[in-house]
Amino acid sequence: MAVTEETGAEPASASVDPTGDPLLRTRFAPPKRPATFLRRDRLVRHLDQALGTPLTMVNGAAGAGKTLLVADWAAGLTEPVAWLTTDTGDQAPGIFWAYLLEALRAAGVPVTGDVGCPAEAARVDQRTLTCLAADLERRDHTTVVVLDEFDRVTSPEIAEQLQFVLHHAGRGMRLVLVSRTEPLLPLHRYRASGEITEIRNAELAFTSEEAHELLSRHGLHLWADAVRALVERTQGWAAGLRLCALAARQGTDPDAYLKQFEADHSTVADFLLAEVLDRQTPGTQDLLLRISVLDRCCPDLVNALTLRTDAEPILAALQRENAFVHYLGHSWYSLHPLFAEILRAHLGERFPGLEPELRSRAARWLRRSGALPDALVQGAAADDWEFSARAVVDDLAIGQLFTGLRSEELSALFARMSPEATGPAPDLVRAARELGRRDLDHGLAHLRRAEEELGRDGAGAAPVRLSCALLEALAARLTGSPDRAERAAEQATLLRREVPGQLLDEHPELTALLLTHLGSARLWAGRFDDARAALSAVVGSPDGAATALPRWEALGHLALIDYLNGWPGPAEHKALAAAGQAERYSLPQCSRSGIGPLVLAAVLIDRDELDEAQALLDEVAVSHPLVDDPVVQAGRTLTRGRLFLARGDARAALAAAADATVPAAVSSPWAEDHAALLASAAHLAQGHPEPARQAVERVAHHRRACAVEAARVRLAAGNPEGALDLLDSLPENDRPGPAVTVRATLVRARAALDTGDAATARRLVARALLDGRRERLRRPFLEAGPWIRPLLSTGRPRELASGWLLPGPGRYRAPGLATPDGAPELAVEELSARERDVVRRVAEMMSTEEIAADLHVSVNTVKTHLKSIYRKLAVTRRGEAVRRARERRLL
């Protein structure tokens, strides 16, 4: 072209490329933004950084919203913007640079005559590039050059020339590449020097809030949950959201359409097939169709599925091209869920009947590779239930149906198992599923059938028989059959020798579950020492998610043993440790069900912290324990009965005592004894010593707690000598905890007082106070009766009771606690140790959620503690509670 003498710039372009074809001017115009376009400020703010870096790359999949994002951003710039939509025909350097120079002119950026214009399609003169770079560098303003769809330019020569111009143009040029793939420019250099702005596929994805606004602009106003579900399914893919919105708007019920949306019969399918699948080679298309049956894949798995050897480079290339193949790390990939759904439909049309074969092939490869959960999913999808059930049993994974972390998932998976699947393995899985759902009748029927089949087939493989022993132990626990549990444990011990050690190491939950079932059955039978041995072994098992549920259960049962032996402090410690296990590993429902919360509630009742105990029992009532065995059932009924009694409802306590008899193969001595204790105490509270005597006398010699209650009944009947005789007849080697000894000491004190020995009575009360205050055991003193109040009013007892049983000097006294005769009333408004923990954290400005996490309890438990704290401190706000706690020197 000639150069004008006045300006030194080229005259108007001839508008032809080096081949003589006209330049297509539509390629120089940014696309128009539709009326429903949503400007996303977070991405625009990120793009603003492009003015400060030589190179910007907006890289994402087809339909990710790259082009409209850059077009919207460019429209707001004051700098000149040269826009060029590249084409596959631009592989020749002369053609590419002819178009780029014309894009500059179309944007009003003058190009000097020194730059010239490529004369040949196959090459461009180096002088043209040098002059263009120098021309841009000399300007006093920056020119933004946007190359859209740059993934179509695959020429290394053009990439090298573009890098040359960009480098030497300096601040005079800012290059923005919009591409599905990473360009051939030396991106590592720009990244190392911080001279690149990058917006990638993940950042382009719509958030739920952005999707809600986008759908609103399409006239769709959906609930937040529906929007989140759509975003999750599309993974925030812009085109998917827009196409779904357009299709839904045409229907009569958009909300229902989006819920029932079938990707394989929609405009989304047309888009992905045309823009992604059809762009691939036939071999790559075949690979994509076959791997669509996988949730995730690696090259070796793909090679096994496709019977080829080149999966690794193909997967890597697809990921680089943003062809809806995502890299998960460690050589694993996944398909976009909508793309996979469409590919599966296409697979069924192109190769009918191939999908089950592919899934079975994948299932066997995954199992050999140790990916059992994925193998089970594939086996189930192939309707190959014999394989899936056998895999669970042979791999000793049957315990995972109970461990809480995957139990619901596995139960749902095998709920679809065909009745035609027969044999020991399917029946064992059915038995495990039914027993896990507390369906004892059906579970035991399947277990008996599996055992009969094993008997017909001979001994059977060791893993199968070991799985059978585990279910036998669980059945024994659920039915309260300790002898059956012992036989199952003995059988398991023998079978472990026949199972490879590596397999046992991979599934520590199996042994932990078996010992937990054995320990619970022994506890039910009253064999506390034997139960403690089995349960302690579980607590000492390797830490980890696999054994979290058995350790949680074992700690709860150990806590119950401590409580039944009269040791509330150690019982509380173990129950809290169990709650910590549940919180740490997010065991479903565990923090609100099972033995642990019942033990904590019982301890709180002994401390007369009734509101907190009520809150725990209410949580237990609305939850569903993972294993509802006789121990849990009896513990739940007896604890609630104790709370009824503490609240003064003796009639409800008697009803609970009657309900404590749990159907089981054998009766539980401790459950019967504590039901008798509860009934006796309720009769005494009603003023009926004779029914109380009848309830407790028959168990008086079973355990010290029963003897103490029987002695208390004799005192109430006016027989102090008989009460002391009963206590003196107990063996010396019986060493119960303070919950029992405090009550026994108070019985002796009452007997001494009744026989006129006030000094001995006062000394015994002081001893009881010493033992009781370590555990803050208030209930024994509250249940003692009015005789104890004068003894607490002066001297050593008054000193020992002050601050936890009686109000201390200057401490808050709840209204109405003073008695008419001026005798001290027992303090019931003292903060519990856990409430003090909560107050301390409130003072540290921690939120309710943070307190719950720090104390390993639920948020609802923290809220209950706060309500109790407000009531006891006579305040209504957190700040007031902290101030009042400081006044009372609790902080």
Side-chain angles (χ1 to χ4, degrees):
M1 290 184 181
V3 180
T4 63
E5 295 179 358
E6 293 82 358
T7 65
E10 295 183 19
S13 168
S15 298
V16 294
D17 66 21
T19 66
D21 290 336
L23 297 173
L24 302 175
R25 307 203 65 80
T26 53
R27 294 175 58 187
F28 305 135
K32 293 183 179 180
R33 286 151 287 165
T36 56
F37 173 77
L38 175 65
R39 181 182 179 90
R40 295 190 280 169
D41 292 334
R42 64 180 177 89
L43 296 179
V44 173
R45 287 193 298 270
H46 193 169
L47 264 180
D48 286 339
Q49 299 175 19
L51 299 176
T53 59
L55 179 63
T56 293
M57 184 178 68
V58 181
N59 178 265
K66 308 179 295 295
T67 299
L68 288 178
L69 166 67
V70 176
D72 178 61
W73 169 75
L77 296 178
T78 57
E79 294 82 356
V81 178
W83 185 286
L84 173 61
T85 300
T86 61
D87 190 80
T88 53
D90 293 347
Q91 306 306 318
I95 302 291
F96 175 83
W97 286 102
Y99 265 99
L100 183 53
L101 291 171
E102 188 62 22
L104 289 168
R105 296 187 187 98
V109 179
V111 179
T112 63
D114 292 340
V115 175
C117 189
E120 301 177 37
R123 62 179 296 274
V124 62
D125 192 82
Q126 182 65 31
R127 187 175 183 278
T128 296
L129 302 177
T130 303
C131 290
L132 175 61
D135 187 19
L136 291 170
E137 194 275 334
R138 284 195 300 266
R139 299 182 186 278
D140 57 1
H141 64 266
T142 296
T143 298
V144 177
V145 177
V146 178
L147 299 180
D148 189 23
E149 299 188 27
F150 192 70
D151 48 277
R152 296 182 175 184
V153 179
T154 58
S155 168
E157 185 180 359
I158 292 176
E160 185 177 348
Q161 294 166 351
L162 193 59
Q163 160 64 14
F164 173 84
V165 173
L166 179 63
H167 176 69
H168 292 287
R171 296 185 58 83
M173 177 179 175
R174 294 291 183 254
L175 179 61
V176 180
L177 301 179
V178 183
S179 175
R180 296 186 188 182
T181 64
E182 288 199 354
L184 297 176
L185 274 67
L187 300 179
H188 61 282
R189 297 179 187 172
Y190 288 97
R191 288 168 178 153
S193 60
E195 294 183 315
I196 185 172
T197 298
E198 292 186 80
I199 295 180
R200 304 184 73 84
N201 205 49
E203 190 176 356
L204 289 167
F206 273 67
T207 66
S208 293
E209 293 75 16
E210 291 168 346
H212 188 278
E213 177 63 24
L214 178 67
L215 295 171
S216 297
R217 293 187 176 210
H218 284 79
L220 298 175
H221 303 283
L222 306 178
W223 293 104
D225 288 345
V227 175
R228 279 194 295 271
L230 184 60
V231 170
E232 182 178 352
R233 191 170 181 202
T234 61
Q235 293 190 347
W237 177 43
L241 290 169
R242 288 192 177 96
L243 291 172
C244 286
L246 290 171
R249 193 171 61 179
Q250 296 173 4
T252 58
D253 189 348
D255 199 5
Y257 172 85
L258 292 176
K259 287 180 180 177
Q260 301 167 5
F261 166 66
E262 296 180 3
D264 53 312
H265 298 95
S266 68
T267 53
V268 177
D270 298 336
F271 181 96
L272 287 175
L273 292 174
E275 292 292 328
V276 182
L277 186 64
D278 292 347
R279 287 187 173 212
Q280 309 301 327
T281 65
T284 301
Q285 289 185 29
D286 183 76
L287 180 143
L288 284 169
L289 289 171
R290 291 171 183 267
I291 68 173
S292 66
V293 303
L294 303 172
D295 292 328
R296 62 189 188 107
C297 61
C298 66
D300 288 344
L301 173 56
V302 175
N303 285 333
L305 208 62
T306 60
L307 304 179
R308 55 196 298 166
T309 60
D310 58 349
E312 186 168 6
I314 293 177
L315 290 171
L318 289 168
Q319 190 265 334
R320 285 195 304 272
E321 295 169 11
N322 281 311
F324 289 80
V325 175
H326 307 312
Y327 183 61
L328 305 176
H330 304 289
S331 298
W332 285 88
Y333 297 82
S334 70
L335 295 176
H336 187 288
L338 281 181
F339 191 35
E341 187 176 337
I342 292 163
L343 289 174
R344 283 194 296 275
H346 212 54
L347 173 69
E349 295 173 1
R350 188 177 297 186
F351 304 107
L354 180 59
E355 181 176 341
E357 179 185 337
L358 292 172
R359 289 190 181 276
S360 288
R361 196 182 302 168
R364 282 155 178 78
W365 186 95
L366 289 163
R367 185 187 175 192
R368 289 194 303 271
S369 302
L372 182 62
D374 292 333
L376 296 178
V377 170
Q378 291 297 333
D383 206 25
D384 193 349
W385 294 109
E386 178 64 29
F387 162 82
S388 297
R390 191 82 188 185
V392 167
V393 174
D394 286 352
D395 287 16
L396 288 185
I398 199 164
Q400 294 181 2
L401 279 157
F402 308 104
T403 52
L405 303 178
R406 296 191 60 240
S407 57
E408 293 182 6
E409 174 189 336
L410 285 175
S411 181
L413 179 76
F414 282 103
R416 310 196 311 267
M417 184 158 55
S418 169
E420 283 74 29
T422 59
D427 275 321
L428 283 175
V429 171
R430 291 187 183 102
R433 183 174 177 272
E434 299 297 346
L435 291 174
R437 297 169 63 240
R438 298 182 295 279
D439 187 343
L440 202 55
D441 291 339
H442 288 93
L444 291 176
H446 289 306
L447 181 57
R448 284 193 296 271
R449 188 177 300 116
E451 291 171 339
E452 291 170 359
E453 291 164 342
L454 285 173
R456 286 196 300 268
D457 296 341
V464 179
R465 290 182 288 136
L466 187 54
S467 298
C468 191
L470 171 65
L471 298 186
E472 272 290 327
L474 173 57
R477 173 184 176 181
L478 294 175
T479 56
S481 307
D483 291 343
R484 185 177 183 180
E486 296 291 349
R487 289 193 297 272
E490 291 172 3
Q491 179 73 2
T493 300
L494 296 174
L495 291 170
R496 283 170 57 88
R497 302 169 187 169
E498 303 178 30
V499 176
Q502 180 183 355
L503 195 57
L504 289 170
D505 292 340
E506 290 173 357
H507 294 285
E509 74 278 357
L510 188 137
T511 300
L513 284 167
L514 196 146
L515 287 174
T516 302
H517 301 333
L518 176 63
S520 180
R522 287 174 172 176
L523 195 162
W524 176 249
R527 295 162 48 195
F528 290 171
D529 290 341
D530 292 339
R532 192 189 301 275
L535 297 167
S536 297
V538 177
V539 174
S541 63
D543 196 7
T547 56
L549 174 87
R551 286 199 309 277
W552 165 75
E553 283 201 294
L555 282 166
H557 283 72
L558 287 170
L560 178 60
I561 293 173
D562 283 339
Y563 181 79
L564 293 175
N565 284 331
W567 296 94
E572 179 187 37
H573 177 76
K574 291 181 177 67
L576 290 175
Q581 284 283 315
E583 293 287 341
R584 179 181 177 185
Y585 292 101
S586 302
L587 299 178
Q589 298 294 332
C590 284
S591 61
R592 298 184 299 278
S593 62
I595 284 293
L598 293 174
V599 172
L600 286 175
V603 172
L604 290 169
I605 292 169
D606 283 347
R607 292 173 179 168
D608 201 47
E609 296 170 14
L610 305 184
D611 291 343
E612 294 86 343
Q614 184 73 62
L616 279 173
L617 289 176
D618 289 345
E619 288 190 4
V620 169
V622 298
S623 63
H624 300 284
L626 294 172
V627 180
D628 198 19
D629 62 9
V631 174
V632 175
Q633 296 170 29
R636 186 166 54 231
T637 303
L638 290 170
T639 305
R640 189 164 291 279
R642 287 285 298 151
L643 182 60
F644 286 141
L645 184 62
R647 290 199 180 278
D649 191 346
R651 180 175 296 180
L654 281 171
D659 292 341
T661 302
V662 177
V666 301
S667 59
S668 173
W670 64 264
E672 290 186 347
D673 290 348
H674 280 266
L677 287 174
L678 178 59
S680 174
H683 284 304
L684 274 187
Q686 292 178 320
H688 303 146
E690 180 54 27
R693 185 193 64 77
Q694 293 174 4
V696 77
E697 282 286 349
R698 59 186 175 84
V699 299
H701 296 284
H702 288 182
R703 61 188 71 243
R704 185 175 286 266
C706 297
V708 171
E709 178 62 24
R712 200 164 74 94
V713 171
R714 292 184 182 184
L715 274 177
N719 184 11
E721 294 82 3
L724 293 175
D725 289 343
L726 186 56
L727 294 180
D728 291 338
S729 66
L730 296 174
E732 291 295 330
N733 58 357
D734 185 7
R735 300 291 182 184
V740 178
T741 58
V742 167
R743 286 181 167 85
T745 304
L746 289 177
V747 169
R748 292 185 181 276
R750 169 73 184 280
L753 190 65
D754 287 353
T755 57
D757 191 350
T760 298
R762 191 177 302 277
R763 177 175 54 80
L764 289 170
V765 168
R767 183 197 299 174
L769 288 167
L770 274 172
D771 291 341
R773 73 174 180 177
R774 297 189 188 97
E775 303 283 357
R776 295 186 175 271
L777 295 172
R778 298 186 182 90
R779 286 310 309 171
F781 299 93
L782 291 169
E783 294 169 354
W787 66 269
I788 199 172
R789 289 176 181 166
L791 297 177
L792 295 174
S793 61
T794 59
R796 180 66 171 161
R798 174 75 189 203
E799 178 185 340
L800 292 172
S802 180
W804 68 277
L805 189 60
L806 299 177
R811 299 178 70 84
Y812 169 73
R813 179 190 293 272
L817 288 183
T819 56
D821 58 3
E825 179 61 78
L826 303 186
V828 295
E829 300 298 311
E830 179 72 18
L831 293 188
S832 68
R834 182 45 58 95
E835 288 170 348
R836 292 188 181 210
D837 290 338
V838 171
V839 169
R840 292 189 191 101
R841 285 157 177 79
V842 169
E844 295 172 6
M845 306 297 290
M846 293 174 68
S847 68
T848 302
E849 291 75 13
E850 290 170 335
I851 296 172
D854 199 40
L855 295 178
H856 302 294
V857 298
S858 69
V859 171
N860 285 338
T861 298
V862 175
K863 291 179 179 178
T864 300
H865 284 315
L866 286 172
K867 289 179 182 178
S868 180
I869 290 167
Y870 294 163
R871 177 181 59 79
K872 290 181 179 182
L873 297 181
V875 298
T876 58
R877 301 174 183 272
R878 284 182 170 224
E880 294 172 350
V882 172
R883 185 171 62 255
R884 182 63 60 81
R886 288 198 173 106
E887 291 173 359
R888 297 180 61 182
R889 300 184 180 180
L890 299 177
L891 296 176

